[in-house]
Amino acid sequence: PGVRFVSLQYGDCRQEVEAMRAEGVPLVHWQDPVDDLDDCAALLCELDLVVSVTTTVIHLAGALARPVWVLVPARPGWRYLLEGERLPWYPSARLWRQAEIHDWDPVIARVAKAIALFRS
């Protein structure tokens, strides 16, 4: 409650956006800022928090020193290290690690609880 989601999904994501809205998620999506890196940077600077899987968006948010939470898969790429909650190159980033491949439910549950605290 009280959270407004802004989609940072690039490419044709109309179906995903509409599916979320159909589930009652208050989701905003502007395709133009997502497709242009400068506009995307400006949008990231206006958000309270960026939550994303391991994409370019988290690197841009980290480089801009924006608060960013990264959902890291059980088998991460080298950029996300093998353990820990922080990245040395992006001090504003917090990592949320998946314990088992394909099992995102516990990660999402922890992030949801933390968002409630973040808002307080």
Side-chain angles (χ1 to χ4, degrees):
V3 173
R4 187 170 186 186
F5 293 95
V6 176
S7 168
L8 300 171
Q9 178 67 38
Y10 51 86
D12 184 7
C13 60
R14 287 175 289 193
Q15 287 183 325
E16 291 91 345
V17 169
E18 289 307 317
M20 295 295 288
R21 289 176 178 158
E23 290 292 323
V25 176
L27 182 67
V28 176
H29 181 79
W30 300 288
Q31 193 64 49
D32 290 342
V34 175
D35 288 341
D36 180 90
L37 204 54
D38 289 334
D39 289 345
C40 187
L43 177 57
L44 292 175
C45 287
E46 295 299 318
L47 301 177
D48 296 323
L49 174 65
V50 175
V51 180
S52 177
V53 294
T54 56
T55 67
T56 300
V57 167
I58 69 99
H59 295 281
L60 184 56
L64 293 167
R66 300 302 302 148
V68 58
W69 293 358
V70 187
L71 308 180
V72 181
R75 292 186 186 153
W78 66 268
R79 294 169 297 281
Y80 307 100
L81 311 175
L82 293 176
E83 58 187 30
E85 290 186 1
R86 298 288 177 192
L87 293 173
W89 36 87
Y90 303 135
S92 66
R94 179 173 178 188
L95 306 180
W96 298 84
R97 295 185 180 278
Q98 183 185 58
E100 296 182 32
I101 295 172
H102 305 299
D103 188 12
W104 286 108
D105 289 345
V107 178
I108 299 300
R110 290 193 321 267
V111 168
K113 285 182 184 177
I115 286 174
L117 295 174
F118 183 86
R119 294 185 48 246
S120 323

